[in-house]
């Protein structure tokens, strides 16, 4: 028999990038794309140079407005889809955020939707014609699903993910798939298949991860609404880094079937990952959540909780009580984050229907030890096997989370049970800590009253870090361990004059020193500043309503 050699990882990566580049050329020729060798640090203004005025108008329109115009017939799906295809192509060249465009599929779908509207005089569904971008590991039948690992390239999904099947029935157009990191377990987006996804506001900084392709694409207005996933911060990190909205729901509220690719995650129930919306607007987040939950996805996935979307009902009594977490007592946030918290709380103190109190972090170091131990109960063996199968090198942040963490060990079944018990004990203790913020109790039921409704806190120890420097997870992973809904929202940008470094600060530990030494205002020039709002488990609607009130008050 002939000796057919296995392709090298470099050859596989070249094939992946060539296929992606060909999908881009199906939308725009090289002559109509930016020169990747002549890009400035901040590339957010590049679409204005390459798109038509009409395309710019459409791609800068928020998803809720597009939905209304599409549903009324004032816009066609074909015109909107074409605008986002072109904008996504430009985003790819500037920040390296997509794994493939889907022009043929998207254009055909858009034509079908336009024909339906013309024939029936009404939209196909509640999201008729709305373009939605999708993180690569959310499966499309017949398309590749690799999760950032070279050895997985060429693996074809057997069926569409449940969330995609629902969205298709609601009338959306899928037009692009976005990048993710090796192993999916980075707070950046860096793989040997597609390279590094960078931040549109400062290309020396990361777009975040693991849904960094979505984050960068949305910041470039190559998308208005996309699907990310989050098991330790993977929606919220890129949302914060790119100045967009990102929502990690409570687990089991949104469909997850066919959304994860690695043996390390399939069937793991200790820390539950979830899909969630990433959007240029808060209304886009609400639109996504309501549209999917209204279809009662628990009838197909029985593990999902049968809770309807409750935005029509007030989820808290005024005044809204906000606990402000300034610092997790492990790693002090950089000056832009502290300033943002100070600025926003200074304004909220003047609001008559909002009350602010300080939130005291409850043993966040213990929480991280439990979380990181439960991420990889096989000692990272499944991920290591997938990475090593191709001979590809380990990326720096894959090494950091898998090989350099003292918590990653192969666990026996008894050890997993014990860690799960530690998780549940911590959750109970944290709940008690939250209950102790009450100012009274109901005389009939004994239920605590006057408790903190939501926690306002950093989404990370700083704004978007330099590439390969996102090593501290606990400002996001804390809420994965507790399974709390968490919503990231933009509040501004780094200010070179206001956000000066405190040279007198004495770091309290190794992680704190690493983070402190990263910071200079110049290094983070133009970077978006974002914050995070957290509610208790299954209070997803409350956290959204709370942000609406906060933004109204501001």
């Amino acid at each position: 028999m002939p000796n057919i050699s296995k392709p090298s990882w470099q050859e596989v990566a070249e094939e992946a990038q060539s296929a992606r580049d060909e999908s881009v050329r199906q939308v725009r020729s090289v002559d109509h794309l930016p020169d990747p060798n002549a890009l400035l640090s901040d590339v957010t203004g590049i679409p204005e140079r390459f798109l038509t005025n009409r395309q710019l108008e459409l791609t800068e329109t928020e998803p809720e407005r597009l939905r209304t115009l599409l549903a009324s017939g004032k816009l066609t799906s074909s015109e909107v889809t074409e605008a986002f295809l072109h904008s996504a192509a430009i985003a790819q060249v500037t920040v390296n955020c997509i794994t493939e465009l889907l022009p043929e599929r998207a254009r055909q779908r858009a034509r079908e939707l336009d024909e339906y509207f013309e024939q029936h005089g009404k939209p196909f569904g509640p999201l008729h014609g709305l373009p939605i971008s999708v993180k690569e590991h959310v499966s499309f039948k017949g398309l590749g699903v690799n999760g950032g690992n070279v050895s997985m390239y060429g693996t074809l999904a057997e069926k569409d993910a449940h969330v995609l099947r629902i969205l298709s029935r609601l009338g959306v157009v899928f037009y692009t798939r976005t990048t993710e990191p090796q192993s999916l377990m980075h707070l950046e987006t860096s793989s040997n298949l597609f390279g590094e996804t960078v931040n549109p506001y400062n290309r020396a900084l990361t777009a975040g991860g693991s849904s960094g392709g979505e984050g960068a694409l949305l910041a470039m207005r190559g998308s208005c609404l996309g699907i990310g996933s989050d098991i330790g911060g993977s929606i919220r990190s890129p949302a914060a880094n790119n100045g967009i909205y990102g929502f990690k729901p409570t687990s089991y509220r949104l469909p997850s079937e066919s959304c994860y690719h690695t043996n390390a995650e399939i069937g793991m129930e200790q820390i539950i990952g979830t899909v969630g919306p990433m959007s240029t607007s808060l209304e886009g987040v609400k639109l996504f959540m309501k549209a999917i939950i209204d279809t009662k996805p628990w009838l197909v996935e029985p593990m999902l909780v049968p809770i309807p979307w409750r935005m029509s009902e007030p989820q808290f009594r005024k005044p809204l009580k906000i606990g402000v977490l300034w610092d997790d007592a492990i790693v002090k946030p950089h000056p832009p984050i502290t300033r943002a918290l100070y600025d926003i709380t200074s304004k909220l103190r003047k609001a008559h229907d909002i009350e602010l109190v300080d939130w005291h972090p409850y043993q966040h170091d213990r929480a991280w030890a439990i979380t990181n131990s439960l991420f990889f109960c096989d000692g990272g063996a499944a991920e290591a096997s997938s990475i090593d199968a191709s001979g590809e090198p380990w990326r720096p942040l894959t090494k950091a989370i898998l090989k350099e963490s003292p918590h990653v060990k192969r666990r026996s079944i008894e050890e997993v049970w014990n860690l799960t018990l530690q998780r549940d004990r911590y959750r109970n203790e944290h709940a008690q800590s939250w209950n102790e913020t009450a100012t009274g109790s109901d005389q009939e039921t004994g239920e605590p009253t006057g408790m903190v409704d939501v926690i306002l806190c950093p989404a990370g120890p700083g704004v978007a870090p330099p590439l390969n420097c996102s090593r501290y997870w606990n400002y996001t992973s804390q809420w994965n361990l507790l399974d709390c809904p968490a919503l990231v929202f933009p509040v501004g940008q780094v200010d070179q004059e206001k956000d000066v470094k405190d040279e007198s600060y004495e770091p309290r530990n190794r992680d704190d020193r690493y983070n402190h030494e990263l910071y200079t205002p110049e290094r983070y020039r133009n970077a978006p500043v974002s914050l995070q709002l957290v509610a208790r488990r299954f209070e997803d609607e409350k956290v959204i309503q709370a942000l609406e009130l906060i933004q109204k008050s501001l």
Side-chain angles (χ1 to χ4, degrees):
M1 296 179 64
N3 183 18
I4 301 175
S5 61
K6 177 182 175 182
S8 67
W9 73 264
Q10 294 94 332
E11 290 171 326
V12 175
E14 183 178 357
E15 178 184 343
Q17 293 170 33
S18 295
R20 175 203 60 200
D21 294 346
E22 176 57 31
S23 75
V24 171
R25 285 192 292 270
Q26 291 176 25
V27 175
R28 290 183 80 92
S29 67
V30 175
D31 294 341
H32 293 86
L33 289 168
D35 180 356
N37 298 314
L39 296 174
L40 300 175
S41 174
D42 184 341
V43 294
T44 54
I46 280 186
E48 296 177 11
R49 293 166 40 199
F50 288 87
L51 295 178
T52 67
N53 289 337
R54 179 60 170 168
Q55 289 170 338
L56 274 173
E57 179 187 0
L58 293 173
T59 55
E60 291 177 359
T61 302
E62 306 299 6
E64 64 275 15
R65 178 63 178 158
L66 285 176
R67 176 214 188 190
T68 299
L69 294 171
L70 286 160
S72 66
K74 293 179 180 178
L75 288 177
T76 66
S77 179
S78 293
E79 183 182 24
V80 175
T81 297
E82 201 65 29
F84 279 97
L85 280 169
H86 282 264
S87 189
I90 292 167
Q92 163 52 31
V93 175
T94 53
V95 293
N96 189 34
C97 58
I98 71 168
T99 61
E100 62 180 324
L101 286 177
L102 305 171
E104 184 177 349
R105 172 193 292 249
R107 287 164 174 161
Q108 179 178 339
R109 169 70 164 172
R111 285 194 298 269
E112 291 170 352
L113 291 169
D114 289 340
E115 290 170 1
Y116 180 92
F117 193 96
E118 186 175 347
Q119 292 173 8
H120 297 85
K122 64 179 183 178
F124 180 82
L127 300 182
H128 175 93
L130 188 66
I132 288 185
S133 50
V134 184
K135 187 177 181 181
E136 188 272 350
H137 79 117
V138 180
S139 301
F140 283 89
K141 181 179 180 180
L143 297 183
V145 55
N146 58 69
N149 292 349
V150 173
S151 68
M152 297 288 289
Y153 185 77
T155 302
L156 302 182
E158 295 181 357
K159 61 181 179 180
D160 289 339
H162 185 195
V163 67
L164 299 189
R165 300 198 302 271
I166 291 173
L167 289 169
S168 290
R169 294 198 303 271
L170 297 177
V172 309
V173 177
F174 301 119
Y175 67 104
T176 191
R177 307 176 75 201
T178 53
T179 52
E180 60 209 359
Q182 181 186 62
S183 82
L184 282 173
M185 295 297 287
H186 295 194
L187 292 183
E188 298 191 16
T189 299
S190 165
S191 76
N192 294 314
L193 277 172
F194 295 105
E196 292 172 321
T197 301
V198 296
N199 194 297
Y201 292 90
N202 182 335
R203 298 179 74 253
L205 305 177
T206 179
S210 62
S211 308
E214 283 296 321
L217 182 67
L218 282 150
M220 289 293 294
R221 294 291 182 150
S223 174
C224 62
L225 182 60
I227 305 175
S229 61
D230 194 312
I231 198 172
S234 290
I235 285 172
R236 291 159 292 151
S237 157
N241 289 3
N242 292 284
I244 61 168
Y245 293 83
F247 183 49
K248 182 206 83 67
T250 306
S251 65
Y252 300 126
R253 290 212 71 182
L254 292 182
S256 62
E257 177 211 276
S258 300
C259 288
Y260 303 107
H261 85 290
T262 61
N263 292 332
E265 288 185 356
I266 294 174
M268 187 186 81
E269 294 190 325
Q270 280 66 43
I271 308 291
I272 304 297
T274 178
V275 298
M278 302 174 70
S279 180
T280 55
S281 73
L282 179 59
E283 288 297 319
V285 169
K286 292 166 57 180
L287 185 67
F288 184 96
M289 294 296 298
K290 174 176 169 51
I292 291 178
I293 291 177
D294 279 356
T295 68
K296 299 183 178 180
W298 50 83
L299 297 177
V300 175
E301 283 188 59
M303 71 174 62
L304 302 181
V305 292
I307 301 176
W309 190 239
R310 301 164 295 184
M311 283 297 291
S312 60
E313 307 165 8
Q315 297 298 310
F316 56 84
R317 294 178 180 178
K318 293 180 181 178
L320 174 71
K321 189 172 182 178
I322 302 173
V324 183
L325 191 158
W326 298 88
D327 181 332
D328 71 354
I330 306 170
V331 173
K332 182 180 177 65
H334 284 164
I337 303 300
T338 301
R339 175 179 59 82
L341 278 170
Y342 178 80
D343 287 350
I344 196 171
T345 54
S346 296
K347 295 174 183 176
L348 291 178
R349 290 186 198 282
K350 301 174 184 177
H352 70 278
D353 48 4
I354 290 176
E355 177 186 356
L356 296 180
V357 296
D358 286 337
W359 179 272
H360 302 288
Y362 183 78
Q363 300 183 14
H364 284 212
D365 51 350
R366 174 183 162 204
W368 173 244
I370 297 169
T371 302
N372 200 14
S373 298
L374 289 173
F375 274 158
F376 303 105
C377 291
D378 66 344
E383 283 294 354
S385 175
S386 179
I387 293 168
D388 292 341
S390 68
E392 66 171 306
W394 284 57
R395 308 292 294 200
L397 293 181
T398 314
K399 286 182 182 178
I401 192 67
L402 279 170
K403 290 187 173 183
E404 297 170 6
S405 170
H407 306 296
V408 176
K409 302 172 184 177
R410 181 179 284 278
R411 310 282 179 171
S412 67
I413 289 178
E414 290 80 4
E415 288 173 316
V416 174
W417 290 343
N418 180 262
L419 282 167
T420 305
L421 181 61
Q422 290 183 43
R423 179 203 67 184
D424 292 344
R425 283 175 177 164
Y426 181 81
R427 287 178 173 179
N428 292 344
E429 291 171 23
H430 195 277
Q432 179 59 30
S433 177
W434 199 312
N435 294 344
E436 289 170 359
T437 67
T439 56
S441 61
D442 186 282
Q443 292 184 349
E444 293 185 3
T445 65
E447 179 183 342
T449 58
M451 287 187 295
V452 161
D453 290 297
V454 292
I455 301 169
L456 176 66
C457 59
V463 295
L467 297 172
N468 295 315
C469 293
S470 303
R471 295 172 180 265
Y472 189 72
W473 291 50
N474 225 19
Y475 279 102
T476 50
S477 64
Q478 170 75 15
W479 314 115
N480 294 89
L481 179 68
L482 295 171
D483 198 18
C484 292
L487 176 60
V488 162
F489 60 100
V491 293
Q493 286 182 281
V494 171
D495 187 308
Q496 298 295 301
E497 295 183 2
K498 294 180 180 179
D499 299 326
V500 296
K501 184 173 185 175
D502 181 1
E503 299 290 356
S504 67
Y505 178 70
E506 289 293 332
R508 46 203 164 191
N509 56 59
R510 184 183 64 178
D511 290 336
D512 196 26
R513 181 174 301 279
Y514 178 84
N515 189 61
H516 178 67
E517 291 177 351
L518 279 178
Y519 185 73
T520 65
E522 179 59 35
R523 171 175 277 176
Y524 294 90
R525 182 176 291 275
N526 297 330
V529 180
S530 302
L531 295 174
Q532 181 176 210
L533 204 61
V534 180
R536 300 182 83 149
R537 194 172 186 228
F538 292 117
E539 292 186 341
D540 302 61
E541 296 88 346
K542 176 188 276 191
V543 77
I544 293 175
Q545 288 185 1
L547 182 54
E548 288 179 321
L549 178 59
I550 288 169
Q551 292 186 328
K552 181 181 177 181
S553 300
L554 295 175

